[in-house]
Amino acid sequence: MSAPILDGMPRRLYSATPTRLTTWLDCPRRYRFAYLDRPAPPKRPPWAHNTVGGAIHNVLAAWWRLDRDARTVAVVPSLVDEYWGDEGFRDEAQSQQWRERAAAMVQRYVAELDPDDEPRGIERTVGTVHGHTALTGRVDRIDERDGELVIVDYKTGRHVLTTDDARSSLALAVYAAAAARTLRVSCHRVELHHLPTGEVVTWRHDERTLARHLDRADDVAAECRSADAAFRDGDTGDTTFPPRPSPLCGWCDYIQHCPDGRANAGVRSSWAGLADS
C-alpha cells in the first residue's frame, strides 16, 4: 500500500515532465502503459515521421555544437547522413527521398541563422518547482535576445501551426518558467519553428499566463500522483485509467493492446505520418 502522509510532514514533490502530464490528459490508459506497467507493453513499430523529426533535431543540435567556422549550409547533408535512420519507412527508396527532404529543410533553415549568435542552451534540461511538483524538460534551443531568454521548439510534422499552438502549449510555458529559474534570466517569449514551411509562430507570455499554465501543470501532476498511488495499490482498471477513444488512437504506440482504440481507429502504416502519405 502507498505510504500515508503524516500530519505536519511536508509533502514530497512529484517529479514530472510536460510529456508525462500531456500523456495523462490525452489518455489515462496510454499513461498507464507508458509510465506504470512494468514490463511495459511492446510498442508498435517505429514511425517514419518520428525518424525524420529525430534526425532533424539531432542535426540542428550537432550544427550548433560545431566550431564557428564549420557552421555552414554545406555541412548539413553530411550531418543528416550521420544521424539518419531507416526505421518506419515503406522501403529504401522512401527513406532516401526523405533523407534528401530533411537535408533540404535544414539547409533552408540554417541559411537564415547567424552562426555567431551563440545559443544559451542546446538540448538543455531545465527545471522549476511549482506547488507540489518538480517540473523538468529538455528544450531544443534557448536563445538570449535583448537581455531575455527565448524558447525555441523545432517542429517537423505536416500540421500547420498557429499562434494558438504556441499560446496554449503547456510544455512551452513550463520550459519558459524552468529556463528562467535555471539560467537566472527572464523568459517570456516562446517560438515554434516549423521547418517544412519555414514559418515561425511566436507567443509572449506574461507572469499571469505563465502562472496559469504552471497551476494547470501542478493540478495535472496531482492527478498523476493519485493515479500512480492507485496503481501501486493494485488498481489497474478503467475507472482510474479510462481509455479516451478518438481518431487519434490510430497514432498510439499501444493500440494493439487497446480494444477501445482499435474500435475507433484502424492501425496505420508506419509511414502514414509523412506529408506525402
Side-chain angles (χ1 to χ4, degrees), residues 52-230:
V52 174
I56 288 176
H57 279 73
N58 287 333
V59 167
L60 287 169
W63 190 86
W64 278 113
R65 291 178 178 131
L66 293 172
D67 292 338
R68 161 61 186 84
D69 291 342
R71 295 174 189 166
T72 65
V73 174
V75 77
V76 168
S78 65
L79 291 176
V80 172
D81 288 345
E82 180 179 349
Y83 289 102
W84 193 254
D86 292 319
E87 295 85 0
F89 294 101
R90 180 181 57 241
D91 50 33
E92 185 177 346
Q94 188 184 52
S95 175
Q96 179 60 30
Q97 177 190 38
W98 276 92
R99 184 196 303 231
E100 294 170 1
R101 286 191 184 186
M105 279 187 230
V106 179
Q107 285 180 307
R108 286 195 304 269
Y109 182 74
V110 302
E112 303 298 321
L113 297 177
D114 180 354
D116 289 318
D117 194 9
E118 199 73 38
R120 284 294 303 270
I122 295 294
E123 298 287 344
R124 175 66 188 262
T125 298
V126 294
T128 192
V129 173
H130 189 80
H132 297 291
T133 308
L135 295 160
T136 58
R138 190 169 66 174
V139 187
D140 291 340
R141 193 173 94 217
I142 304 173
D143 291 347
E144 185 168 355
R145 306 177 202 157
D146 300 322
E148 287 196 339
L149 301 179
V150 178
I151 299 298
V152 174
D153 193 46
Y154 304 131
K155 294 298 181 185
T156 60
R158 60 188 181 183
H159 171 64
V160 177
L161 301 172
T162 68
T163 301
D164 190 59
D165 291 306
R167 178 191 63 80
S168 63
S169 170
L170 178 69
L172 290 180
V174 168
Y175 295 158
R181 183 180 186 273
T182 301
L183 299 176
R184 306 299 181 186
V185 180
S186 175
C187 183
H188 297 90
R189 184 182 177 94
V190 297
E191 297 181 350
L192 296 171
H193 291 205
H194 190 236
L195 271 79
T197 61
E199 295 292 323
V200 175
V201 176
T202 69
W203 180 257
R204 183 173 180 83
H205 284 288
D206 56 28
E207 294 302 324
R208 177 183 56 86
T209 60
L210 284 177
R212 187 165 64 238
H213 275 290
L214 292 175
D215 287 345
R216 176 61 170 150
D218 193 44
D219 289 343
V220 177
E223 295 177 19
C224 292
R225 185 200 291 263
S226 295
D228 294 359

